[in-house]
Amino acid sequence: ESSGGLGKLDLRTRRPTSFTPSLAEGQSKGTKPPRVPVVAMASGAADDVWYVARYALGRYRSRDDQWEFSPDLQHAATLVSAADKLFVGTGPYGSFRGDQPAGLGLRTLSFKDEQWRTFPAIPGLPNEQVTALAVDGHNLWVGGKAYIALVDPEQDKVLRFAYVRARRVEQIQVGGGCLWAQFDKHLFKAPLTASH
């Protein structure tokens, strides 16, 4: 729970590279690679790598070899990228600094203009409780505390949702014509034709 990091593997040469700084380096000025568990990763624009390291959202700009921490987004729990956007779900204690309104717990970053959008709160669904995300075409599957929903992130609409008996949805995947969800140490599936 207190150690971890980030690395890469060159598939052509099979050469691993660790980005985790040595403990002997101590604390230095500037942003460095994480030394804590990385729980989610997604690709971004210009070969950027976005990651969640113990609830903190970070970005590694591989072309410039620069590490950045996003101070605006606190308590990120999961993320996924699609086309020109990054979707970030916040966990049980998620918050957005400043005067941002509270919403469902889903934030969208446009890679084009680097602007954040907040998905609005939905009556009947817990706010700030997004723990799993999966892209499905132009829509997004969102899992959280006791629910799974299909949302249209462009129109800020919930298309479908279902309550589930779980404190949190751990993972969501789309494949083989089904929606797959993991929670409470079990794997569940539902045909996508039933959800569209």
PDB file of all heavy atoms in Angstrom, residues 62-101:
ATOM      1  N   SER A  62       5.988  12.150 -22.376  1.00  0.00           N
ATOM      2  CA  SER A  62       7.136  11.336 -22.770  1.00  0.00           C
ATOM      3  C   SER A  62       8.054  12.044 -23.760  1.00  0.00           C
ATOM      4  O   SER A  62       9.264  11.842 -23.735  1.00  0.00           O
ATOM      5  CB  SER A  62       6.664   9.997 -23.348  1.00  0.00           C
ATOM      6  OG  SER A  62       5.905  10.187 -24.507  1.00  0.00           O
ATOM      7  N   ARG A  63       7.515  12.888 -24.629  1.00  0.00           N
ATOM      8  CA  ARG A  63       8.366  13.587 -25.603  1.00  0.00           C
ATOM      9  C   ARG A  63       9.317  14.560 -24.927  1.00  0.00           C
ATOM     10  O   ARG A  63      10.429  14.779 -25.398  1.00  0.00           O
ATOM     11  CB  ARG A  63       7.500  14.341 -26.614  1.00  0.00           C
ATOM     12  CG  ARG A  63       6.759  13.419 -27.553  1.00  0.00           C
ATOM     13  CD  ARG A  63       6.017  14.183 -28.604  1.00  0.00           C
ATOM     14  NE  ARG A  63       5.272  13.274 -29.461  1.00  0.00           N
ATOM     15  CZ  ARG A  63       4.476  13.657 -30.431  1.00  0.00           C
ATOM     16  NH1 ARG A  63       4.303  14.942 -30.679  1.00  0.00           N
ATOM     17  NH2 ARG A  63       3.838  12.777 -31.158  1.00  0.00           N
ATOM     18  N   ASP A  64       8.872  15.152 -23.810  1.00  0.00           N
ATOM     19  CA  ASP A  64       9.709  16.118 -23.093  1.00  0.00           C
ATOM     20  C   ASP A  64      10.312  15.542 -21.818  1.00  0.00           C
ATOM     21  O   ASP A  64      11.031  16.239 -21.114  1.00  0.00           O
ATOM     22  CB  ASP A  64       8.878  17.358 -22.726  1.00  0.00           C
ATOM     23  CG  ASP A  64       8.263  18.021 -23.942  1.00  0.00           C
ATOM     24  OD1 ASP A  64       8.931  18.058 -24.993  1.00  0.00           O
ATOM     25  OD2 ASP A  64       7.111  18.489 -23.846  1.00  0.00           O
ATOM     26  N   ASP A  65       9.981  14.276 -21.501  1.00  0.00           N
ATOM     27  CA  ASP A  65      10.420  13.632 -20.266  1.00  0.00           C
ATOM     28  C   ASP A  65      10.070  14.493 -19.055  1.00  0.00           C
ATOM     29  O   ASP A  65      10.909  14.744 -18.192  1.00  0.00           O
ATOM     30  CB  ASP A  65      11.926  13.340 -20.316  1.00  0.00           C
ATOM     31  CG  ASP A  65      12.346  12.384 -19.213  1.00  0.00           C
ATOM     32  OD1 ASP A  65      11.506  11.569 -18.774  1.00  0.00           O
ATOM     33  OD2 ASP A  65      13.513  12.461 -18.770  1.00  0.00           O
ATOM     34  N   GLN A  66       8.803  14.929 -18.989  1.00  0.00           N
ATOM     35  CA  GLN A  66       8.336  15.776 -17.887  1.00  0.00           C
ATOM     36  C   GLN A  66       7.180  15.098 -17.164  1.00  0.00           C
ATOM     37  O   GLN A  66       6.304  14.503 -17.796  1.00  0.00           O
ATOM     38  CB  GLN A  66       7.863  17.136 -18.396  1.00  0.00           C
ATOM     39  CG  GLN A  66       8.973  18.028 -18.872  1.00  0.00           C
ATOM     40  CD  GLN A  66       8.434  19.389 -19.277  1.00  0.00           C
ATOM     41  OE1 GLN A  66       7.278  19.537 -19.654  1.00  0.00           O
ATOM     42  NE2 GLN A  66       9.281  20.391 -19.199  1.00  0.00           N
ATOM     43  N   TRP A  67       7.175  15.249 -15.849  1.00  0.00           N
ATOM     44  CA  TRP A  67       6.127  14.710 -14.991  1.00  0.00           C
ATOM     45  C   TRP A  67       5.308  15.868 -14.453  1.00  0.00           C
ATOM     46  O   TRP A  67       5.865  16.871 -14.000  1.00  0.00           O
ATOM     47  CB  TRP A  67       6.750  13.917 -13.845  1.00  0.00           C
ATOM     48  CG  TRP A  67       7.516  12.733 -14.329  1.00  0.00           C
ATOM     49  CD1 TRP A  67       8.832  12.711 -14.707  1.00  0.00           C
ATOM     50  CD2 TRP A  67       7.021  11.416 -14.525  1.00  0.00           C
ATOM     51  NE1 TRP A  67       9.176  11.453 -15.123  1.00  0.00           N
ATOM     52  CE2 TRP A  67       8.089  10.634 -15.010  1.00  0.00           C
ATOM     53  CE3 TRP A  67       5.777  10.809 -14.322  1.00  0.00           C
ATOM     54  CZ2 TRP A  67       7.944   9.288 -15.303  1.00  0.00           C
ATOM     55  CZ3 TRP A  67       5.640   9.470 -14.608  1.00  0.00           C
ATOM     56  CH2 TRP A  67       6.718   8.719 -15.091  1.00  0.00           C
ATOM     57  N   GLU A  68       3.978  15.720 -14.484  1.00  0.00           N
ATOM     58  CA  GLU A  68       3.087  16.762 -13.974  1.00  0.00           C
ATOM     59  C   GLU A  68       2.059  16.142 -13.047  1.00  0.00           C
ATOM     60  O   GLU A  68       1.631  15.007 -13.243  1.00  0.00           O
ATOM     61  CB  GLU A  68       2.349  17.458 -15.126  1.00  0.00           C
ATOM     62  CG  GLU A  68       3.248  18.184 -16.087  1.00  0.00           C
ATOM     63  CD  GLU A  68       2.479  18.758 -17.274  1.00  0.00           C
ATOM     64  OE1 GLU A  68       1.260  18.492 -17.382  1.00  0.00           O
ATOM     65  OE2 GLU A  68       3.100  19.445 -18.080  1.00  0.00           O
ATOM     66  N   PHE A  69       1.652  16.907 -12.063  1.00  0.00           N
ATOM     67  CA  PHE A  69       0.605  16.514 -11.141  1.00  0.00           C
ATOM     68  C   PHE A  69      -0.551  17.483 -11.342  1.00  0.00           C
ATOM     69  O   PHE A  69      -0.334  18.685 -11.518  1.00  0.00           O
ATOM     70  CB  PHE A  69       1.142  16.597  -9.705  1.00  0.00           C
ATOM     71  CG  PHE A  69       0.080  16.525  -8.655  1.00  0.00           C
ATOM     72  CD1 PHE A  69      -0.591  15.342  -8.406  1.00  0.00           C
ATOM     73  CD2 PHE A  69      -0.253  17.643  -7.916  1.00  0.00           C
ATOM     74  CE1 PHE A  69      -1.571  15.283  -7.435  1.00  0.00           C
ATOM     75  CE2 PHE A  69      -1.222  17.587  -6.943  1.00  0.00           C
ATOM     76  CZ  PHE A  69      -1.876  16.402  -6.702  1.00  0.00           C
ATOM     77  N   SER A  70      -1.779  16.983 -11.360  1.00  0.00           N
ATOM     78  CA  SER A  70      -2.947  17.841 -11.565  1.00  0.00           C
ATOM     79  C   SER A  70      -3.517  18.249 -10.208  1.00  0.00           C
ATOM     80  O   SER A  70      -4.252  17.484  -9.587  1.00  0.00           O
ATOM     81  CB  SER A  70      -4.010  17.092 -12.372  1.00  0.00           C
ATOM     82  OG  SER A  70      -5.123  17.904 -12.591  1.00  0.00           O
ATOM     83  N   PRO A  71      -3.193  19.454  -9.736  1.00  0.00           N
ATOM     84  CA  PRO A  71      -3.664  19.864  -8.409  1.00  0.00           C
ATOM     85  C   PRO A  71      -5.162  20.149  -8.369  1.00  0.00           C
ATOM     86  O   PRO A  71      -5.760  20.169  -7.306  1.00  0.00           O
ATOM     87  CB  PRO A  71      -2.856  21.134  -8.126  1.00  0.00           C
ATOM     88  CG  PRO A  71      -2.533  21.678  -9.471  1.00  0.00           C
ATOM     89  CD  PRO A  71      -2.384  20.485 -10.379  1.00  0.00           C
ATOM     90  N   ASP A  72      -5.787  20.365  -9.527  1.00  0.00           N
ATOM     91  CA  ASP A  72      -7.213  20.676  -9.543  1.00  0.00           C
ATOM     92  C   ASP A  72      -8.085  19.463  -9.256  1.00  0.00           C
ATOM     93  O   ASP A  72      -9.155  19.575  -8.685  1.00  0.00           O
ATOM     94  CB  ASP A  72      -7.620  21.261 -10.899  1.00  0.00           C
ATOM     95  CG  ASP A  72      -7.000  22.622 -11.143  1.00  0.00           C
ATOM     96  OD1 ASP A  72      -6.763  23.337 -10.161  1.00  0.00           O
ATOM     97  OD2 ASP A  72      -6.740  22.957 -12.309  1.00  0.00           O
ATOM     98  N   LEU A  73      -7.640  18.305  -9.673  1.00  0.00           N
ATOM     99  CA  LEU A  73      -8.446  17.105  -9.500  1.00  0.00           C
ATOM    100  C   LEU A  73      -7.929  16.296  -8.328  1.00  0.00           C
ATOM    101  O   LEU A  73      -6.804  15.818  -8.344  1.00  0.00           O
ATOM    102  CB  LEU A  73      -8.407  16.264 -10.785  1.00  0.00           C
ATOM    103  CG  LEU A  73      -9.377  15.088 -10.840  1.00  0.00           C
ATOM    104  CD1 LEU A  73     -10.803  15.549 -10.656  1.00  0.00           C
ATOM    105  CD2 LEU A  73      -9.245  14.367 -12.155  1.00  0.00           C
ATOM    106  N   GLN A  74      -8.753  16.163  -7.322  1.00  0.00           N
ATOM    107  CA  GLN A  74      -8.386  15.440  -6.102  1.00  0.00           C
ATOM    108  C   GLN A  74      -9.130  14.113  -6.047  1.00  0.00           C
ATOM    109  O   GLN A  74     -10.282  14.040  -6.442  1.00  0.00           O
ATOM    110  CB  GLN A  74      -8.767  16.277  -4.876  1.00  0.00           C
ATOM    111  CG  GLN A  74      -8.107  17.640  -4.827  1.00  0.00           C
ATOM    112  CD  GLN A  74      -6.701  17.554  -4.300  1.00  0.00           C
ATOM    113  OE1 GLN A  74      -6.443  16.833  -3.360  1.00  0.00           O
ATOM    114  NE2 GLN A  74      -5.792  18.287  -4.897  1.00  0.00           N
ATOM    115  N   HIS A  75      -8.490  13.113  -5.544  1.00  0.00           N
ATOM    116  CA  HIS A  75      -9.095  11.808  -5.295  1.00  0.00           C
ATOM    117  C   HIS A  75      -9.650  11.144  -6.549  1.00  0.00           C
ATOM    118  O   HIS A  75     -10.797  10.700  -6.569  1.00  0.00           O
ATOM    119  CB  HIS A  75     -10.170  11.910  -4.215  1.00  0.00           C
ATOM    120  CG  HIS A  75      -9.623  12.398  -2.912  1.00  0.00           C
ATOM    121  ND1 HIS A  75      -8.843  11.610  -2.111  1.00  0.00           N
ATOM    122  CD2 HIS A  75      -9.714  13.595  -2.306  1.00  0.00           C
ATOM    123  CE1 HIS A  75      -8.484  12.307  -1.049  1.00  0.00           C
ATOM    124  NE2 HIS A  75      -8.996  13.503  -1.141  1.00  0.00           N
ATOM    125  N   ALA A  76      -8.845  11.095  -7.591  1.00  0.00           N
ATOM    126  CA  ALA A  76      -9.218  10.344  -8.787  1.00  0.00           C
ATOM    127  C   ALA A  76      -9.200   8.858  -8.451  1.00  0.00           C
ATOM    128  O   ALA A  76      -8.378   8.399  -7.667  1.00  0.00           O
ATOM    129  CB  ALA A  76      -8.253  10.653  -9.925  1.00  0.00           C
ATOM    130  N   ALA A  77     -10.120   8.105  -9.040  1.00  0.00           N
ATOM    131  CA  ALA A  77     -10.193   6.672  -8.772  1.00  0.00           C
ATOM    132  C   ALA A  77      -9.933   5.833 -10.016  1.00  0.00           C
ATOM    133  O   ALA A  77      -9.398   4.741  -9.925  1.00  0.00           O
ATOM    134  CB  ALA A  77     -11.563   6.318  -8.199  1.00  0.00           C
ATOM    135  N   THR A  78     -10.308   6.343 -11.192  1.00  0.00           N
ATOM    136  CA  THR A  78     -10.168   5.587 -12.428  1.00  0.00           C
ATOM    137  C   THR A  78     -10.120   6.551 -13.601  1.00  0.00           C
ATOM    138  O   THR A  78     -10.501   7.719 -13.464  1.00  0.00           O
ATOM    139  CB  THR A  78     -11.347   4.589 -12.585  1.00  0.00           C
ATOM    140  OG1 THR A  78     -11.113   3.775 -13.727  1.00  0.00           O
ATOM    141  CG2 THR A  78     -12.670   5.308 -12.707  1.00  0.00           C
ATOM    142  N   LEU A  79      -9.636   6.074 -14.734  1.00  0.00           N
ATOM    143  CA  LEU A  79      -9.628   6.912 -15.937  1.00  0.00           C
ATOM    144  C   LEU A  79      -9.601   6.051 -17.182  1.00  0.00           C
ATOM    145  O   LEU A  79      -9.229   4.889 -17.145  1.00  0.00           O
ATOM    146  CB  LEU A  79      -8.457   7.901 -15.927  1.00  0.00           C
ATOM    147  CG  LEU A  79      -7.034   7.388 -15.721  1.00  0.00           C
ATOM    148  CD1 LEU A  79      -6.433   6.875 -17.004  1.00  0.00           C
ATOM    149  CD2 LEU A  79      -6.174   8.498 -15.176  1.00  0.00           C
ATOM    150  N   VAL A  80     -10.028   6.649 -18.293  1.00  0.00           N
ATOM    151  CA  VAL A  80     -10.005   5.992 -19.585  1.00  0.00           C
ATOM    152  C   VAL A  80      -9.954   7.088 -20.643  1.00  0.00           C
ATOM    153  O   VAL A  80     -10.467   8.188 -20.431  1.00  0.00           O
ATOM    154  CB  VAL A  80     -11.239   5.064 -19.770  1.00  0.00           C
ATOM    155  CG1 VAL A  80     -12.521   5.857 -19.838  1.00  0.00           C
ATOM    156  CG2 VAL A  80     -11.094   4.180 -20.982  1.00  0.00           C
ATOM    157  N   SER A  81      -9.296   6.806 -21.770  1.00  0.00           N
ATOM    158  CA  SER A  81      -9.232   7.806 -22.843  1.00  0.00           C
ATOM    159  C   SER A  81      -9.919   7.260 -24.085  1.00  0.00           C
ATOM    160  O   SER A  81      -9.989   6.051 -24.295  1.00  0.00           O
ATOM    161  CB  SER A  81      -7.778   8.182 -23.165  1.00  0.00           C
ATOM    162  OG  SER A  81      -7.070   7.045 -23.630  1.00  0.00           O
ATOM    163  N   ALA A  82     -10.427   8.196 -24.893  1.00  0.00           N
ATOM    164  CA  ALA A  82     -11.072   7.846 -26.151  1.00  0.00           C
ATOM    165  C   ALA A  82     -10.954   9.030 -27.086  1.00  0.00           C
ATOM    166  O   ALA A  82     -11.289  10.156 -26.705  1.00  0.00           O
ATOM    167  CB  ALA A  82     -12.538   7.504 -25.936  1.00  0.00           C
ATOM    168  N   ALA A  83     -10.454   8.780 -28.291  1.00  0.00           N
ATOM    169  CA  ALA A  83     -10.314   9.831 -29.313  1.00  0.00           C
ATOM    170  C   ALA A  83      -9.565  11.020 -28.739  1.00  0.00           C
ATOM    171  O   ALA A  83      -8.398  10.921 -28.409  1.00  0.00           O
ATOM    172  CB  ALA A  83     -11.675  10.211 -29.866  1.00  0.00           C
ATOM    173  N   ASP A  84     -10.232  12.148 -28.580  1.00  0.00           N
ATOM    174  CA  ASP A  84      -9.565  13.374 -28.139  1.00  0.00           C
ATOM    175  C   ASP A  84      -9.948  13.775 -26.724  1.00  0.00           C
ATOM    176  O   ASP A  84      -9.867  14.938 -26.360  1.00  0.00           O
ATOM    177  CB  ASP A  84      -9.884  14.515 -29.111  1.00  0.00           C
ATOM    178  CG  ASP A  84     -11.373  14.819 -29.173  1.00  0.00           C
ATOM    179  OD1 ASP A  84     -12.170  13.987 -28.696  1.00  0.00           O
ATOM    180  OD2 ASP A  84     -11.730  15.883 -29.697  1.00  0.00           O
ATOM    181  N   LYS A  85     -10.355  12.786 -25.898  1.00  0.00           N
ATOM    182  CA  LYS A  85     -10.799  13.111 -24.538  1.00  0.00           C
ATOM    183  C   LYS A  85     -10.244  12.132 -23.512  1.00  0.00           C
ATOM    184  O   LYS A  85      -9.963  10.972 -23.814  1.00  0.00           O
ATOM    185  CB  LYS A  85     -12.322  13.101 -24.465  1.00  0.00           C
ATOM    186  CG  LYS A  85     -12.970  14.225 -25.242  1.00  0.00           C
ATOM    187  CD  LYS A  85     -14.468  14.202 -25.096  1.00  0.00           C
ATOM    188  CE  LYS A  85     -15.106  15.399 -25.763  1.00  0.00           C
ATOM    189  NZ  LYS A  85     -14.749  15.568 -27.155  1.00  0.00           N
ATOM    190  N   LEU A  86     -10.124  12.632 -22.285  1.00  0.00           N
ATOM    191  CA  LEU A  86      -9.778  11.814 -21.138  1.00  0.00           C
ATOM    192  C   LEU A  86     -10.941  11.893 -20.165  1.00  0.00           C
ATOM    193  O   LEU A  86     -11.419  12.988 -19.855  1.00  0.00           O
ATOM    194  CB  LEU A  86      -8.500  12.340 -20.464  1.00  0.00           C
ATOM    195  CG  LEU A  86      -8.054  11.586 -19.209  1.00  0.00           C
ATOM    196  CD1 LEU A  86      -7.438  10.243 -19.596  1.00  0.00           C
ATOM    197  CD2 LEU A  86      -7.057  12.407 -18.407  1.00  0.00           C
ATOM    198  N   PHE A  87     -11.414  10.739 -19.704  1.00  0.00           N
ATOM    199  CA  PHE A  87     -12.495  10.685 -18.730  1.00  0.00           C
ATOM    200  C   PHE A  87     -11.901  10.243 -17.398  1.00  0.00           C
ATOM    201  O   PHE A  87     -11.178   9.243 -17.339  1.00  0.00           O
ATOM    202  CB  PHE A  87     -13.578   9.702 -19.167  1.00  0.00           C
ATOM    203  CG  PHE A  87     -14.191  10.046 -20.493  1.00  0.00           C
ATOM    204  CD1 PHE A  87     -13.804   9.380 -21.642  1.00  0.00           C
ATOM    205  CD2 PHE A  87     -15.139  11.052 -20.590  1.00  0.00           C
ATOM    206  CE1 PHE A  87     -14.359   9.690 -22.867  1.00  0.00           C
ATOM    207  CE2 PHE A  87     -15.707  11.377 -21.815  1.00  0.00           C
ATOM    208  CZ  PHE A  87     -15.312  10.695 -22.952  1.00  0.00           C
ATOM    209  N   VAL A  88     -12.222  10.963 -16.332  1.00  0.00           N
ATOM    210  CA  VAL A  88     -11.689  10.662 -15.005  1.00  0.00           C
ATOM    211  C   VAL A  88     -12.850  10.511 -14.036  1.00  0.00           C
ATOM    212  O   VAL A  88     -13.717  11.388 -13.952  1.00  0.00           O
ATOM    213  CB  VAL A  88     -10.742  11.781 -14.511  1.00  0.00           C
ATOM    214  CG1 VAL A  88     -10.208  11.451 -13.126  1.00  0.00           C
ATOM    215  CG2 VAL A  88      -9.594  11.992 -15.491  1.00  0.00           C
ATOM    216  N   GLY A  89     -12.862   9.407 -13.311  1.00  0.00           N
ATOM    217  CA  GLY A  89     -13.859   9.182 -12.265  1.00  0.00           C
ATOM    218  C   GLY A  89     -13.243   9.431 -10.912  1.00  0.00           C
ATOM    219  O   GLY A  89     -12.097   9.067 -10.667  1.00  0.00           O
ATOM    220  N   THR A  90     -14.004  10.080 -10.037  1.00  0.00           N
ATOM    221  CA  THR A  90     -13.510  10.356  -8.696  1.00  0.00           C
ATOM    222  C   THR A  90     -14.128   9.386  -7.713  1.00  0.00           C
ATOM    223  O   THR A  90     -15.260   8.930  -7.893  1.00  0.00           O
ATOM    224  CB  THR A  90     -13.819  11.801  -8.255  1.00  0.00           C
ATOM    225  OG1 THR A  90     -15.219  12.028  -8.331  1.00  0.00           O
ATOM    226  CG2 THR A  90     -13.086  12.790  -9.141  1.00  0.00           C
ATOM    227  N   GLY A  91     -13.377   9.059  -6.680  1.00  0.00           N
ATOM    228  CA  GLY A  91     -13.803   8.083  -5.695  1.00  0.00           C
ATOM    229  C   GLY A  91     -14.689   8.677  -4.619  1.00  0.00           C
ATOM    230  O   GLY A  91     -15.194   9.787  -4.754  1.00  0.00           O
ATOM    231  N   PRO A  92     -14.856   7.938  -3.536  1.00  0.00           N
ATOM    232  CA  PRO A  92     -15.797   8.342  -2.492  1.00  0.00           C
ATOM    233  C   PRO A  92     -15.558   9.721  -1.904  1.00  0.00           C
ATOM    234  O   PRO A  92     -16.484  10.357  -1.449  1.00  0.00           O
ATOM    235  CB  PRO A  92     -15.614   7.258  -1.429  1.00  0.00           C
ATOM    236  CG  PRO A  92     -15.080   6.087  -2.158  1.00  0.00           C
ATOM    237  CD  PRO A  92     -14.258   6.648  -3.279  1.00  0.00           C
ATOM    238  N   TYR A  93     -14.327  10.180  -1.924  1.00  0.00           N
ATOM    239  CA  TYR A  93     -14.055  11.489  -1.355  1.00  0.00           C
ATOM    240  C   TYR A  93     -13.620  12.469  -2.430  1.00  0.00           C
ATOM    241  O   TYR A  93     -12.902  13.411  -2.170  1.00  0.00           O
ATOM    242  CB  TYR A  93     -12.996  11.389  -0.263  1.00  0.00           C
ATOM    243  CG  TYR A  93     -13.379  10.368   0.779  1.00  0.00           C
ATOM    244  CD1 TYR A  93     -12.767   9.128   0.795  1.00  0.00           C
ATOM    245  CD2 TYR A  93     -14.382  10.640   1.689  1.00  0.00           C
ATOM    246  CE1 TYR A  93     -13.145   8.170   1.735  1.00  0.00           C
ATOM    247  CE2 TYR A  93     -14.761   9.694   2.628  1.00  0.00           C
ATOM    248  CZ  TYR A  93     -14.138   8.456   2.647  1.00  0.00           C
ATOM    249  OH  TYR A  93     -14.516   7.523   3.559  1.00  0.00           O
ATOM    250  N   GLY A  94     -14.044  12.232  -3.643  1.00  0.00           N
ATOM    251  CA  GLY A  94     -13.632  13.063  -4.763  1.00  0.00           C
ATOM    252  C   GLY A  94     -14.097  14.491  -4.635  1.00  0.00           C
ATOM    253  O   GLY A  94     -15.144  14.781  -4.092  1.00  0.00           O
ATOM    254  N   SER A  95     -13.294  15.387  -5.114  1.00  0.00           N
ATOM    255  CA  SER A  95     -13.677  16.801  -5.099  1.00  0.00           C
ATOM    256  C   SER A  95     -12.926  17.504  -6.208  1.00  0.00           C
ATOM    257  O   SER A  95     -11.895  17.061  -6.649  1.00  0.00           O
ATOM    258  CB  SER A  95     -13.365  17.448  -3.750  1.00  0.00           C
ATOM    259  OG  SER A  95     -11.974  17.419  -3.512  1.00  0.00           O
ATOM    260  N   PHE A  96     -13.461  18.614  -6.614  1.00  0.00           N
ATOM    261  CA  PHE A  96     -12.828  19.439  -7.630  1.00  0.00           C
ATOM    262  C   PHE A  96     -12.589  20.774  -6.980  1.00  0.00           C
ATOM    263  O   PHE A  96     -13.508  21.391  -6.455  1.00  0.00           O
ATOM    264  CB  PHE A  96     -13.762  19.576  -8.844  1.00  0.00           C
ATOM    265  CG  PHE A  96     -13.040  19.673 -10.141  1.00  0.00           C
ATOM    266  CD1 PHE A  96     -12.615  18.536 -10.793  1.00  0.00           C
ATOM    267  CD2 PHE A  96     -12.790  20.901 -10.712  1.00  0.00           C
ATOM    268  CE1 PHE A  96     -11.951  18.629 -12.005  1.00  0.00           C
ATOM    269  CE2 PHE A  96     -12.130  20.996 -11.924  1.00  0.00           C
ATOM    270  CZ  PHE A  96     -11.719  19.864 -12.565  1.00  0.00           C
ATOM    271  N   ARG A  97     -11.355  21.237  -6.946  1.00  0.00           N
ATOM    272  CA  ARG A  97     -11.039  22.484  -6.274  1.00  0.00           C
ATOM    273  C   ARG A  97     -11.693  23.668  -6.951  1.00  0.00           C
ATOM    274  O   ARG A  97     -12.009  23.636  -8.116  1.00  0.00           O
ATOM    275  CB  ARG A  97      -9.530  22.704  -6.281  1.00  0.00           C
ATOM    276  CG  ARG A  97      -8.870  22.235  -5.023  1.00  0.00           C
ATOM    277  CD  ARG A  97      -7.582  22.981  -4.860  1.00  0.00           C
ATOM    278  NE  ARG A  97      -6.619  22.074  -4.285  1.00  0.00           N
ATOM    279  CZ  ARG A  97      -5.340  22.262  -4.331  1.00  0.00           C
ATOM    280  NH1 ARG A  97      -4.829  23.281  -4.945  1.00  0.00           N
ATOM    281  NH2 ARG A  97      -4.531  21.413  -3.771  1.00  0.00           N
ATOM    282  N   GLY A  98     -11.865  24.719  -6.214  1.00  0.00           N
ATOM    283  CA  GLY A  98     -12.419  25.936  -6.785  1.00  0.00           C
ATOM    284  C   GLY A  98     -13.931  25.939  -6.696  1.00  0.00           C
ATOM    285  O   GLY A  98     -14.529  25.308  -5.846  1.00  0.00           O
ATOM    286  N   ASP A  99     -14.564  26.651  -7.614  1.00  0.00           N
ATOM    287  CA  ASP A  99     -16.007  26.815  -7.577  1.00  0.00           C
ATOM    288  C   ASP A  99     -16.729  25.857  -8.504  1.00  0.00           C
ATOM    289  O   ASP A  99     -17.831  26.129  -8.951  1.00  0.00           O
ATOM    290  CB  ASP A  99     -16.371  28.260  -7.949  1.00  0.00           C
ATOM    291  CG  ASP A  99     -15.800  29.246  -6.948  1.00  0.00           C
ATOM    292  OD1 ASP A  99     -15.726  28.884  -5.761  1.00  0.00           O
ATOM    293  OD2 ASP A  99     -15.429  30.354  -7.358  1.00  0.00           O
ATOM    294  N   GLN A 100     -16.115  24.731  -8.829  1.00  0.00           N
ATOM    295  CA  GLN A 100     -16.754  23.766  -9.704  1.00  0.00           C
ATOM    296  C   GLN A 100     -17.962  23.170  -8.996  1.00  0.00           C
ATOM    297  O   GLN A 100     -17.912  22.841  -7.826  1.00  0.00           O
ATOM    298  CB  GLN A 100     -15.776  22.643 -10.073  1.00  0.00           C
ATOM    299  CG  GLN A 100     -14.606  23.101 -10.894  1.00  0.00           C
ATOM    300  CD  GLN A 100     -15.006  23.366 -12.331  1.00  0.00           C
ATOM    301  OE1 GLN A 100     -16.043  22.939 -12.781  1.00  0.00           O
ATOM    302  NE2 GLN A 100     -14.184  24.089 -13.040  1.00  0.00           N
ATOM    303  N   PRO A 101     -19.088  23.014  -9.696  1.00  0.00           N
ATOM    304  CA  PRO A 101     -20.257  22.401  -9.068  1.00  0.00           C
ATOM    305  C   PRO A 101     -20.044  20.910  -8.850  1.00  0.00           C
ATOM    306  O   PRO A 101     -19.326  20.267  -9.583  1.00  0.00           O
ATOM    307  CB  PRO A 101     -21.361  22.641 -10.106  1.00  0.00           C
ATOM    308  CG  PRO A 101     -20.637  22.755 -11.408  1.00  0.00           C
ATOM    309  CD  PRO A 101     -19.310  23.381 -11.093  1.00  0.00           C
TER     310      PRO A 101
END
